[in-house]
């Protein structure tokens, strides 16, 4: 783990609506995540964890505050620049997998690299490598409907990994999976993190959060606790 | 991101819903082919009007003297200055050097109300003319049985005649008139030819006709007086205006006409009739084209409609693409290309359909394809793809990923 900050959020405020009816989804959040960390962000629904995830993922902008992703300030970027940042810096994993329908696993994994302009041959090589890492080498030509939920989520992980992002951002990744698939996926996250990649998991499931090294709890748009997961960290080291 | 890659995405997008793609393409195809076919029908009917006018002899120009009493008030008031048309005028008009656009000219000496008889039958041809053999070609009169009279017949003042079918039937019934001798105004003429049926021309029966060498008619019936008219044939239907100018130049010089208002002769041609008919058929073509253009427009709206549905249906996919790094331009281009492929393929099929459809005779008209209409229809269909696909594409491109991802 280095001291380089992958995520540096300062005074993040996200307000919906105006005047009396306005709601603060984020009410002054400060958050620093170093390269190589494995962080779980927990909280009940409405706590602002999804809003935070959208802001960290450059999918949404803040009402006020500053956000540096991998050392670059992106809070002032326009949508077009943000899409490039998303493609290069972030690997997304969603609850509902979000694979492109009627498109093979391989093509799905290749897609973000295609938008980055990576040449076809290299793209294919990296995609096959990523699919191998997630254990789907024998499913590369299958379309999403021909894969189980766990397999689809692993394709999504491969897609996120293939671009070699600064961070892996997972939003309730196990929400649609059975316990066996959940277990496999969390093992995969451990493995990815052990290889040095930053992993951030948004979840409301305690057993998912237990696997992370650092747990951040949110409530009403604020960070209420930020603890190192000693039990797990101890088990590993 | 290369453009080829985006085109591949576009094709994949279209192949997802093949039936819908096919139907949208069909809309454009119908639009394009109907533009091509209907304009071809309009053009074909213009062509057929033109050719039927050609058959009537649109190249011919009649020169009439104002002395004859047709001249109207102004001409009658200055009768003293009127020089009659003569054989020499006809000879001058036949000169290819002075009148290069005149193919030939023939003098006409008419004898009015001359009664012809054969045994007990009689007939009064509405046209009873002495002329030159060049008359036949100039007025598009063809002999279907027997022969034409010749220059030799004119020189020898032979009393031979070519008669029209109405005249032949009135005199001979069903008998063969050839080589029979009829008496016209008491003078015997031998029938040597019968003209092809021409049908009525205006109020006149074009087949109530008697034609003989001008010398023979002048000798025995009209005397060597002024000509009734001179018929002139221009080299083609497009040169009648030029020929007309040449005729005026020659006759103005010969008749010493000082200004165009005091001419002692008048010209009649079918060019003006042709102009009217071609402007009519132009209106017809424009109307047909407008109807077709509307169907092309409807096809274009079909593209907008289907692209909007597609964008809504694929909102989530667009969100995913944006989340994993697709720039706005790539999404915009992909949807624009999808729309353009629809219209391009539809346009090409429409051109093919237009060519096939134009092979058939439609409402009695043989369509003649106007090449410009093919390029126009095809070009417009492609532009329609870009234009009508533009709105849905820009809507897709400006979707915010966060909202697009939430879309179910």
């Amino acid at each position: 783990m280095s001291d380089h900050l992958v995520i540096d959020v300062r005074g993040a405020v996200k307000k919906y609506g105006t005047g009396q009816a306005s709601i603060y989804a984020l009410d002054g959040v400060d958050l620093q995540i170093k390269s190589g960390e494995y962080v779980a962000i927990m909280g009940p629904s409405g706590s602002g964890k999804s809003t935070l995830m959208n802001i960290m993922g450059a999918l949404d902008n803040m009402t006020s505050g500053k956000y540096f992703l991998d050392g670059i300030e992106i809070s002032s970027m326009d949508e077009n620049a943000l899409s490039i940042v998303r493609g290069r810096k972030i690997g997304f994993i969603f609850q509902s997998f979000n694979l492109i329908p009627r498109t093979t696993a391989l093509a799905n994994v290749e897609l973000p690299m295609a938008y980055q302009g990576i040449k076809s041959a290299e793209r294919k090589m990296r995609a096959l490598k990523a699919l191998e890492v997630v254990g789907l080498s024998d499913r590369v030509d299958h379309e999403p409907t021909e894969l189980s939920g766990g397999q689809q989520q692993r394709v999504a992980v491969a897609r996120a990994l293939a671009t070699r992002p600064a961070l892996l951002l997972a939003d309730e990744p196990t929400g649609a999976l059975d316990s066996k698939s959940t277990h496999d996926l969390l093992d995969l996250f451990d493995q990815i993190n052990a290889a040095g990649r930053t992993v951030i998991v948004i979840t409301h499931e305690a057993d998912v959060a237990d696997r992370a090294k650092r747990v951040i709890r949110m409530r009403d748009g604020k960070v209420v606790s930020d603890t190192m997961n000693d039990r797990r960290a101890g088990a590993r080291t | 991101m290369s453009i080829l890659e985006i085109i591949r995405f576009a094709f994949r997008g279209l192949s997802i819903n093949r039936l819908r793609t096919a139907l949208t393409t069909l809309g454009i195809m119908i639009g394009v082919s109907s533009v091509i076919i209907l304009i071809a029908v309009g053009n074909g009917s213009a062509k057929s009007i033109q050719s039927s006018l050609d058959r009537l002899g649109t190249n011919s120009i009649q020169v009439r003297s104002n002395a004859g009493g047709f001249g109207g008030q102004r001409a009658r008031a200055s009768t003293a200055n009127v020089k009659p048309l003569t054989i020499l005028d006809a000879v001058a008009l036949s000169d290819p050097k002075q009148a290069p656009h005149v193919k030939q000219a023939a003098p006409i000496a008419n004898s009015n109300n001359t009664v012809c008889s054969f045994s007990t039958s009689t007939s009064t041809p509405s046209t009873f003319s002495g002329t030159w053999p060049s008359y036949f070609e100039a007025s598009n009169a063809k002999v279907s049985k027997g022969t034409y009279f010749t220059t030799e017949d004119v020189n020898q003042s032979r009393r031979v005649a070519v008669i029209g079918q109405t005249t032949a039937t009135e005199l001979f019934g069903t008998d063969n008139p050839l080589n029979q001798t009829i008496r016209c105004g008491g003078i015997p003429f031998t029938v040597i030819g019968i003209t092809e049926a021409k049908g009525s021309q205006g109020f006149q029966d074009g087949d109530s006709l008697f034609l003989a060498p001008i010398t023979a008619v002048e000798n025995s019936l009209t005397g060597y007086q002024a000509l009734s008219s001179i018929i002139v044939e221009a080299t083609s239907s497009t040169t009648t205006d030029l020929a007309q100018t040449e005729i005026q130049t020659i006759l103005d010089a010969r008749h010493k006409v000082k200004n165009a208002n005091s001419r002692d002769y008048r010209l009649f041609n079918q060019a003006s009739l042709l102009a009217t008919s071609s402007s009519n058929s132009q209106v017809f073509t424009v109307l047909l084209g407008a109807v077709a253009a509307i169907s092309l427009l409807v096809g274009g709206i079909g593209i907008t409609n289907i692209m909007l549905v597609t964008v809504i249906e694929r909102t989530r996919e667009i969100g995913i693409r944006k989340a994993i790094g697709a720039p706005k331009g790539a999404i915009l281009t992909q949807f624009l290309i999808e729309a353009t492929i629809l219209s391009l393929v539809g346009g090409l099929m429409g051109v093919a359909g237009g060519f096939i459809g134009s092979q058939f005779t439609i409402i009695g008209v043989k369509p003649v394809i106007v090449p410009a209409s093919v390029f126009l229809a095809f070009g417009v269909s492609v532009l329609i793809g870009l234009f009508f696909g533009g709105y849905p594409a820009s809507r897709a491109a400006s979707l915010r990923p966060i909202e697009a991802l939430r879309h179910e």
Side-chain angles (χ1 to χ4, degrees), chain B residues 47-302:
Chain B
K47 285 260 157 68
S48 78
I49 290 169
Q50 165 116 38
S51 74
S52 65
L53 281 173
D54 282 348
R55 236 180 296 126
L56 288 172
T58 40
N59 303 359
S60 63
I61 302 162
Q62 265 199 349
V63 186
R64 283 191 200 154
S65 173
N66 282 345
F70 297 111
Q73 302 265 318
R74 177 173 49 79
R76 234 173 271 159
S78 56
T79 312
N81 301 326
V82 170
K83 288 199 173 76
L85 292 169
T86 64
I87 294 275
L88 290 175
D89 287 329
V91 172
L93 293 177
S94 310
D95 181 358
K97 283 201 196 87
Q98 288 190 69
H101 294 102
V102 169
K103 198 169 173 192
Q104 51 203 345
I108 295 168
N110 284 336
S111 172
N112 294 329
N113 300 320
T114 305
V115 179
C116 296
S117 63
F118 177 76
S119 77
T120 56
S121 321
T122 59
S123 168
T124 310
S126 54
T127 305
F128 188 104
S129 305
T131 185
W132 287 351
S134 52
Y135 173 92
F136 292 100
E137 210 183 318
S139 67
N140 243 24
K142 292 191 181 71
V143 167
S144 59
K145 267 193 273 179
T147 58
Y148 300 92
F149 58 79
T150 61
T151 312
E152 180 67 14
D153 293 330
V154 174
N155 292 341
Q156 302 293 325
S157 312
R158 286 191 188 126
R159 289 187 192 131
V160 291
V162 171
I163 58 174
Q165 299 218 329
T166 304
T167 308
T169 312
E170 280 172 4
L171 291 174
F172 299 98
T174 53
D175 295 342
N176 182 7
L178 292 181
N179 299 319
Q180 302 286 352
T181 301
I182 56 174
R183 290 187 164 270
C184 296
I187 311 298
F189 285 89
T190 307
V191 177
I192 59 165
I194 297 164
T195 57
E196 224 171 53
K198 228 180 169 180
S200 63
Q201 293 169 313
F203 300 112
Q204 275 200 337
D205 181 356
D207 297 320
S208 177
L209 182 68
F210 176 97
L211 298 169
I214 189 167
T215 43
V217 172
E218 284 182 332
N219 259 339
S220 49
L221 291 164
T222 63
Y224 292 94
Q225 39 146 313
L227 293 177
S228 311
S229 61
I230 300 174
I231 188 162
V232 180
E233 187 190 6
T235 47
S236 82
S237 61
T238 53
T239 55
T240 47
D241 286 346
L242 290 168
Q244 199 161 329
T245 312
E246 287 160 10
I247 292 165
Q248 283 167 344
T249 310
I250 294 167
L251 290 183
D252 284 355
R254 290 181 58 82
H255 290 211
K256 304 199 165 51
V257 172
K258 296 209 174 53
N259 67 67
N261 289 329
S262 60
R263 286 194 175 117
D264 56 0
Y265 61 91
R266 295 203 294 166
L267 300 182
F268 298 85
N269 70 20
Q270 301 211 39
S272 51
L273 181 61
L274 189 67
T276 313
S277 78
S278 75
S279 80
N280 279 345
S281 66
Q282 236 162 27
V283 169
F284 184 51
T285 308
V286 166
L287 270 176
L288 287 176
V291 169
I294 289 169
S295 70
L296 193 54
L297 186 74
V298 171
I301 293 169

Side-chain angles (χ1 to χ4, degrees), chain A residues 1-197:
Chain A
M1 200 187 296
S2 74
D3 285 342
H4 174 67
L5 288 177
V6 173
I7 299 275
D8 186 359
V9 178
R10 294 179 200 164
V13 172
K14 179 72 181 180
K15 192 171 84 168
Y16 289 106
T18 50
Q20 291 277 303
S22 64
I23 291 163
Y24 286 87
L26 288 183
D27 192 2
V29 171
D30 292 291
L31 180 62
Q32 281 77 37
I33 294 172
K34 294 194 193 94
S35 178
E37 279 195 280
Y38 185 174
V39 182
I41 297 175
M42 291 195 72
S45 55
S47 62
K49 63 181 195 303
S50 286
T51 306
L52 183 61
M53 137 98 191
N54 287 337
I55 284 166
M56 287 193 296
L59 289 170
D60 205 356
N61 39 26
M62 295 178 280
T63 309
S64 68
K66 280 188 183 301
Y67 174 32
F68 298 84
L69 173 63
D70 205 20
I72 308 161
E73 178 170 7
I74 65 163
S75 33
S76 56
M77 283 184 176
D78 66 3
E79 173 53 36
N80 217 24
L82 285 180
S83 72
I84 293 164
V85 166
R86 282 197 294 270
R88 288 175 197 274
K89 299 283 184 193
I90 303 164
F92 283 103
I93 295 156
F94 300 97
Q95 177 175 3
S96 50
F97 323 135
N98 280 348
L99 299 177
I100 306 281
R102 299 179 198 83
T103 307
T104 63
L106 182 65
N108 260 295
V109 177
E110 279 191 43
L111 191 60
M113 291 186 279
Y115 282 123
Q116 284 179 37
I118 293 169
K119 291 263 183 311
S120 173
E122 193 197 340
R123 217 160 70 198
K124 190 168 182 194
M125 190 199 76
R126 276 164 68 172
L128 287 171
K129 188 101 183 287
L131 283 165
E132 192 189 323
V133 168
V134 301
L136 285 176
S137 290
D138 55 339
R139 295 280 191 276
V140 292
D141 290 326
H142 290 233
E143 292 184 2
T145 47
E146 300 165 335
L147 297 170
S148 72
Q151 286 170 332
Q152 288 188 56
Q153 195 59 300
R154 279 189 280 156
V155 172
V157 173
R159 180 176 68 185
L161 283 178
T163 56
R164 297 170 187 158
L167 97 133
L168 208 62
L169 203 52
D171 184 14
E172 302 278 8
T174 59
L177 299 181
D178 57 37
S179 59
K180 167 83 171 64
S181 300
T182 299
H183 192 262
D184 289 348
L185 186 71
L186 293 176
D187 283 351
L188 191 56
F189 281 174
D190 279 350
Q191 191 188 325
I192 290 163
N193 180 242
R197 214 166 285 287

Side-chain angles (χ1 to χ4, degrees), chain B residues 352-376:
Chain B
F355 273 100
I356 292 167
S358 300
Q359 302 307 309
F360 301 102
T361 301
I362 298 161
I363 48 167
V365 176
K366 180 90 195 74
V368 179
I369 287 176
V370 183
S373 77
V374 176
F375 294 112
L376 187 77

